[in-house]
Amino acid sequence: MDLQVNGKKYTIDIDPQTPILWVLRDHLKLVGTKYGCGIGQCGACTIHFNGTAVRSCSIPVAAAANVAITTIEGLSEKGDHPVQKAWVDLDVPQCGYCQAGQIMTASALLSQNNKPTEEEIKLGMSGNICRCSTYTKINKAVKQASENL
Amino acid sequence: MVMHAKDKNQSRRAFLKTSVVGTGGLMLSFNWLSAQTDTWEGKEVRALENVRLSGHIIINADNSVVIYSQNPEIGQNVKTSMPMIIAEELDVDWNQVSVEQADLDTEKFKRQVAGGSQSIRKSWPVLRKAGATVRALLISAAAEQWGVSAIELRTETGYVIGKSGEKLSYGSLAEAAAKQKIPKKVSLKKAKDFSLIGKSVMNVASREIVTGTAKFGIDTQREGMVYARLLHAPGFGQKLVSFDAKQALQIKGVTEVFEIDNKVAIIADSTWTAIKGGEAIKTIWSKPLTSEDSKVQRKTLLDMVNAKGQNAKVNMGNVEQGFKKADQVLERTYEAPFLPHNCMEPMNFFADVTDEKVELYGPIQTPENQRRAVAKLLKRSEDEISLGISRIGGGFGRRLNGDFVLEAALISNKIRKPVQLIYTREDDMTAGVYRPAVTYKFKAGLTDGKISAYDLSGAGINMRNTVRPGTWPQASVPNFKLESQSLESHVTFGYWRAPTSNFLAFAEQTFVDELAEIAKKDPIQFRLESLKQAIDAPFGKVRYEPLRMIGVLKLVAEKSNWETKKKGLYRGVSAYYSHNTYVAEVVEITIVGGQPKIERVVVATDCGIVVNASGAHNQAMGAVVDGIGHAMYGEMPLENGVPQHRNFDTYKALRNSEAPKVETHFVKSQKAPSGLGEPTLPPAAAAFANAMYAATRKRLYSQPFSEQGVVLQ
């Protein structure tokens, strides 16, 4: 089947029930998207599906035909999306493992609501677990990014 | 490398010769190096232009500097803070520096471990001397070139500067520097002259992390590599009887299924096929063990702490007499459940075993131990084994244990292919290596408002020691006893962020809050008086400095405006010493709809010199939220040996909307740095529980709090 990821076309021969996460990681070698729980509970595998944040671990690749997929590798050309810049600027990451998912959730949130309130940010980011507890810094970074969109 | 001392005694002697002299700062004697007739392991010319000056440092001709970070990076930020220490003494501009993760190399480095919050504390003198020695060699090379005395020269951010302002870049001097004699003495900067240490320096991996290019262990992909998954017993203590792999082997991509070490290994051509293969296997295990049940174990632990006179670790004065003479006696029991670590990156490791060599690579906190263990397991020489350290998606103590490294090595040894072993979240959460369940019984007597007798009895599952001799309130109390017992079990033991302290601090610091209340004293004042006793008229010796504990209590009182009461705002305090660091915390809550809303956590820490201000804040803040989150929700109950949570759908982790604001304050200090990855975690739960009591007059005696109806707003 054909896939469109980060603006590139890929043709792959694969069981259509394979979750997109594993197609990205094992077959397309795009390992920036992370595995955390496999059941859509932790948000580590978040990608964009036509601009909307989805859990790539819980969507079979069959559902991705004719969909523009964006992964952390394709969020910006030079790693300079306002969300990425705010993350670096505020020194958000600790272990860093969940952060690709956090950034993909945050960037989708901001594309739908470019001036979120503190409560809207907290709620919007609550599907993503950070085991290092960088939460309050994440929220500050989302706020900062929203001011620099 | 510079600090590679062959003779431990010589090394110690050299260390002891450290002394403060004149105005030049600290002078250090490198006499064990001169004793090695000028040989210096790290002195090798890597290329014509690039000279590797020590195990830690490469200076390139273009004046860029590569610093190798020796310890595993699990999110504690040592990959940034350890090289900062070298860069400070080497006197280079941080912008010149790039950082590389070092592989395990016991010839060049010492203690390549991420554990016990000791990376900075243990390496502080080593890294400083490494930077300073290389700087001295560069000066010496410049002196030779200019035909002047080294004393006339100074350095400035990557240049050696002469008397009349002439300068040479480190890069131009590097090759000559490597040929200089190791100086007998080097001078270290005074803390007041630090220009990099103490600043906020951004995580060196930030850009890679935010662009998805940082490679974690789980991202390892090699030519010819296969994926492996292991099915372990559903319950602790169960043995594999048989398995049927027919269905699994019909899945395209599943190539082999075999038994290994009481587990079933599935080999496949991708992660997903390995996961699916595992689901398709039918296994039969021996009967579950009814004894490995949380309810049964909880009762046994309670019986154990109630049994008297078991394994005293400390016994001073006479506690029984003390209780008889006391004005008031308080007795309380505290219970903690098993906790999984739940690192966001599930356990995984790469192994490639061939006749010639064994290659290991992945996320591990204890690489040296694992190389030794793999050598023993596979009956190979350690010289044949290489171990590379990847970036690590969380440690929290789970990756001190190398069970998954040995598994990967065993599998690759059997199939003789490069293997990436991967745990699913379910495999990870149910595999054990848990923070052990533990029960504490405290009994204390108060005389004239002071603790006059103190008896703590702890019992934990597979815990060698449940108590911490030498810490507060020892030395403040005339009659003092600590007892510890262990209940043997098939449930595997794991160190979990701030081992022992993570629950003991909660129990102790909520118990002390009750004592202060009975003594009709302000809880901070009560602690301060007790600490003063330990200074003025101590009962025996302790291994902490009471004055520094007083310092953080005073700082937290000031920063939280402790003296100023505010209507509707309830506060709890807690203070604890662990990992050589002193921490006091105040949690402020309001009550919304009958439930607590954490308004603010104020943290005062004395960890000596703060190396990286931003990293220090991140660690202190993260550990507080981690402590409150797990006290609120963390629990892994067992039924007949079977862990009752398998994934984040039922295992509740603290979420973004519940994370409190944490204010961090550090005591200004010129003392050598101590631990920071863990010590702000232990006091957090007690400060919260004490605030809860202030608001509700209800005490919390066990975790998780959610089981007792507490819901964070």
Side-chain angles (χ1 to χ4, degrees):
Chain A
M1 66 176 290
D2 291 337
L3 279 182
Q4 194 204 317
V5 183
N6 300 332
K8 266 199 217 167
K9 282 224 156 90
Y10 296 88
T11 303
I12 49 161
D13 174 23
I14 196 158
D15 173 1
Q17 288 310 306
T18 308
I20 295 168
L21 169 68
W22 300 114
V23 176
L24 293 171
R25 289 183 54 83
D26 289 355
H27 300 273
L28 306 187
K29 315 289 182 204
L30 292 168
V31 293
T33 305
K34 295 295 188 262
Y35 166 68
C37 70
I39 57 167
Q41 291 287 324
C42 78
C45 68
T46 305
I47 58 168
H48 294 174
F49 232 50
N50 291 332
T52 304
V54 295
R55 308 294 191 229
S56 67
C57 73
S58 303
I59 302 175
V61 69
N66 306 315
V67 171
I69 290 174
T70 308
T71 71
I72 186 73
E73 291 93 341
L75 182 63
S76 63
E77 222 166 273
K78 294 177 180 160
D80 56 357
H81 186 284
V83 170
Q84 289 168 313
K85 278 162 77 174
W87 244 251
V88 172
D89 190 37
L90 294 176
D91 201 23
V92 173
Q94 290 187 29
C95 89
Y97 191 79
C98 74
Q99 300 297 350
Q102 303 275 4
I103 288 168
M104 295 311 280
T105 302
S107 52
L109 174 79
L110 291 178
S111 70
Q112 275 149 27
N113 176 2
N114 61 13
K115 287 284 172 283
T117 63
E118 205 177 313
E119 285 309 305
E120 284 170 339
I121 293 171
K122 281 184 175 183
L123 208 65
M125 298 306 297
S126 277
N128 291 65
I129 297 175
C130 173
R131 182 64 184 77
C132 302
S133 305
T134 63
Y135 296 125
T136 51
K137 278 225 170 163
I138 284 173
N139 298 347
K140 258 190 208 165
V142 177
K143 186 84 187 155
Q144 180 170 314
S146 76
E147 287 154 8
N148 295 321
L149 280 175
Chain B
M1 62 156 273
V2 183
M3 290 303 106
H4 185 220
K6 295 210 162 162
D7 180 328
K8 275 191 179 160
N9 292 326
Q10 278 189 342
S11 161
R12 172 158 300 173
R13 211 160 46 234
F15 184 74
L16 291 175
K17 278 200 174 177
T18 303
S19 58
V20 178
V21 292
T23 52
L26 207 58
M27 301 292 282
L28 294 142
S29 307
F30 278 88
N31 56 349
W32 76 89
L33 283 169
S34 53
Q36 287 174 23
T37 59
D38 274 359
T39 59
W40 187 19
E41 270 83 359
K43 196 173 82 174
E44 52 176 340
V45 178
R46 296 196 103 208
L48 273 179
E49 293 169 326
N50 302 336
V51 182
R52 187 163 179 154
L53 286 170
S54 82
H56 289 101
I57 305 160
I58 293 175
I59 296 178
N60 295 313
D62 66 0
N63 219 22
S64 63
V65 177
V66 181
I67 299 181
Y68 279 81
S69 184
Q70 60 174 58
N71 284 13
E73 171 61 63
I74 54 174
Q76 82 283 44
N77 211 26
V78 289
K79 195 175 174 184
T80 307
S81 51
M82 289 175 79
M84 279 173 71
I85 299 169
I86 293 178
E88 178 73 66
E89 292 291 350
L90 181 59
D91 200 8
V92 287
D93 186 336
W94 185 247
N95 293 320
Q96 282 173 261
V97 175
S98 59
V99 179
E100 299 279 347
Q101 175 70 55
D103 292 337
L104 174 65
D105 189 336
T106 45
E107 292 291 308
K108 291 198 179 98
F109 308 108
K110 275 187 189 173
R111 200 187 180 277
Q112 286 183 275
V113 173
S117 291
Q118 296 299 301
S119 289
I120 296 291
R121 178 171 172 259
K122 298 270 190 195
S123 64
W124 172 252
V126 180
L127 299 179
R128 292 186 76 191
K129 286 182 210 171
T133 306
V134 174
R135 177 177 167 273
L137 294 170
L138 290 158
I139 289 176
S140 169
E144 189 180 72
Q145 191 167 325
W146 283 330
V148 297
S149 158
I151 300 166
E152 294 173 23
L153 310 179
R154 61 187 180 88
T155 59
E156 200 177 297
T157 55
Y159 291 87
V160 179
I161 317 276
K163 236 167 136 181
S164 27
E166 66 274 28
K167 57 189 204 173
L168 284 166
S169 75
Y170 283 6
S172 68
L173 292 165
E175 205 171 326
K179 292 174 189 136
Q180 300 298 311
K181 276 194 174 179
I182 307 280
K184 283 196 175 161
K185 292 175 175 178
V186 292
S187 68
L188 296 183
K189 284 187 179 176
K190 285 182 172 175
K192 69 172 177 57
D193 297 327
F194 288 156
S195 57
L196 184 61
I197 287 172
K199 295 269 181 336
S200 275
V201 172
M202 186 190 83
N203 185 336
V204 291
S206 268
R207 282 198 61 79
E208 291 172 15
I209 289 167
V210 304
T211 52
T213 51
K215 292 282 186 286
F216 293 80
I218 202 170
D219 304 328
T220 306
Q221 291 176 341
R222 303 280 178 86
E223 194 64 36
M225 184 185 92
V226 295
Y227 293 83
R229 182 188 172 194
L230 282 171
L231 299 181
H232 61 74
F236 291 97
Q238 286 182 264
K239 297 267 173 261
L240 181 64
V241 175
S242 65
F243 66 92
D244 175 358
K246 263 188 231 98
Q247 257 185 305
L249 287 164
Q250 278 164 18
I251 297 170
K252 194 182 156 205
V254 174
T255 53
E256 279 182 82
V257 179
F258 51 86
E259 179 184 349
I260 202 157
D261 191 24
N262 200 41
K263 297 172 196 104
V264 180
I266 300 100
I267 310 299
D269 64 354
S270 75
T271 320
W272 178 241
T273 43
I275 293 171
K276 272 203 311 182
E279 306 309 318
I281 288 168
K282 296 187 184 80
T283 48
I284 296 173
W285 303 86
S286 65
K287 274 191 186 151
L289 300 179
T290 51
S291 59
E292 300 289 352
D293 191 286
S294 293
K295 287 192 187 110
V296 176
Q297 288 169 335
R298 192 169 172 169
K299 191 180 173 304
T300 310
L301 292 174
L302 197 59
D303 291 344
M304 288 168 81
V305 295
N306 283 325
K308 284 283 158 201
Q310 304 291 323
N311 304 325
K313 300 275 181 188
V314 180
N315 195 355
M316 293 166 65
N318 186 327
V319 287
E320 292 310 322
Q321 284 295 321
F323 292 136
K324 274 183 199 154
K325 288 183 189 162
D327 302 333
Q328 292 126 322
V329 174
L330 182 72
E331 197 176 296
R332 291 287 184 256
T333 303
Y334 302 83
E335 294 171 297
F338 284 115
L339 281 185
H341 298 77
N342 293 345
C343 304
M344 288 314 291
E345 179 188 9
M347 297 309 109
N348 66 84
F349 222 78
F350 173 84
D352 185 11
V353 180
T354 65
D355 290 344
E356 292 75 39
K357 51 115 186 115
V358 177
E359 189 192 348
L360 302 169
Y361 180 81
I364 184 71
Q365 292 179 242
T366 50
E368 192 177 349
N369 288 356
Q370 303 321 317
R371 185 175 65 186
R372 196 178 307 125
V374 169
K376 201 175 158 201
L377 181 76
L378 303 185
K379 298 188 175 63
R380 301 286 292 251
S381 152
E382 280 196 57
D383 297 339
E384 296 173 290
I385 305 175
S386 66
L387 197 156
I389 307 162
S390 67
R391 188 167 184 87
I392 304 178
F396 311 104
R398 174 61 182 90
R399 290 180 161 108
L400 291 167
N401 199 317
D403 44 339
F404 47 90
V405 181
L406 302 190
E407 290 166 350
L410 267 184
I411 294 169
S412 180
N413 188 49
K414 184 173 165 80
I415 64 173
R416 293 282 159 158
K417 280 179 189 158
V419 169
Q420 172 75 358
L421 170 69
I422 178 161
Y423 281 31
T424 63
R425 175 56 60 192
E426 290 82 0
D427 296 341
D428 186 289
M429 204 180 275
T430 58
V433 193
Y434 298 146
R435 190 280 301 273
V438 61
T439 298
Y440 288 108
K441 184 178 176 180
F442 286 78
K443 189 173 177 183
L446 287 171
T447 307
D448 301 329
K450 283 180 173 176
I451 307 172
S452 52
Y454 187 95
D455 184 353
L456 166 60
S457 173
I461 291 172
N462 292 333
M463 266 176 102
R464 267 176 307 172
N465 191 7
T466 60
V467 294
R468 300 184 64 234
T471 60
W472 189 85
Q474 196 172 334
S476 300
V477 182
N479 305 296
F480 188 87
K481 194 172 171 188
L482 300 176
E483 292 178 347
S484 184
Q485 299 173 76
S486 176
L487 173 61
E488 293 207 0
S489 158
H490 290 279
V491 186
T492 43
F493 169 97
Y495 292 106
W496 196 101
R497 198 176 195 175
T500 309
S501 306
N502 56 44
F503 186 75
L504 177 55
F506 162 74
E508 175 194 294
Q509 290 294 309
T510 48
F511 183 67
V512 168
D513 206 59
E514 282 202 65
L515 290 177
E517 190 189 21
I518 294 169
K520 297 191 170 56
K521 284 188 178 163
D522 171 86
I524 290 185
Q525 203 52 41
F526 183 74
R527 286 169 173 85
L528 290 175
E529 284 172 18
S530 172
L531 287 158
K532 201 166 172 301
Q533 172 88 48
I535 296 169
D536 296 344
F539 302 99
K541 282 186 180 168
V542 286
R543 58 188 174 94
Y544 73 104
E545 297 172 55
L547 199 58
R548 294 178 79 181
M549 191 58 103
I550 288 173
V552 290
L553 274 163
K554 287 188 170 167
L555 183 62
V556 86
E558 178 203 325
K559 297 294 180 186
S560 66
N561 296 313
W562 181 258
E563 299 296 333
T564 318
K565 307 290 172 210
K566 239 172 111 182
K567 200 168 176 252
L569 190 71
Y570 303 95
R571 288 189 288 212
V573 67
S574 171
Y576 204 71
Y577 166 79
S578 73
H579 308 88
N580 313 90
T581 290
Y582 303 79
V583 184
E585 296 174 12
V586 167
V587 169
E588 297 181 343
I589 64 169
T590 51
I591 297 294
V592 180
Q595 290 290 350
K597 180 173 190 299
I598 302 179
E599 298 294 340
R600 178 171 76 141
V601 184
V602 183
V603 186
T605 303
D606 181 353
C607 59
I609 290 167
V610 170
V611 174
N612 181 353
S614 175
H617 166 77
N618 283 350
Q619 290 306 300
M621 170 197 70
V624 165
V625 180
D626 194 4
I628 291 173
H630 280 89
M632 270 302 302
Y633 303 116
E635 177 182 34
M636 180 56 91
L638 305 179
E639 276 182 29
N640 295 330
V642 180
Q644 294 300 296
H645 296 296
R646 301 175 56 76
N647 207 324
F648 291 118
D649 49 350
T650 63
Y651 189 95
K652 175 96 172 74
L654 183 121
R655 298 280 176 161
N656 186 312
S657 58
E658 302 164 309
K661 286 205 170 74
V662 181
E663 261 183 47
T664 60
H665 303 277
F666 294 88
V667 171
K668 284 199 174 53
S669 172
Q670 296 209 348
K671 288 184 192 285
S674 51
L676 196 53
E678 298 167 274
T680 66
L681 185 147
F688 174 61
N690 292 339
M692 282 290 289
Y693 175 75
T696 63
R697 315 315 286 174
K698 240 183 86 182
R699 293 280 178 192
L700 292 161
Y701 295 105
S702 64
Q703 293 181 3
F705 302 151
S706 59
E707 285 290 300
Q708 293 148 78
V710 181
V711 182
L712 278 185
Q713 295 302 299

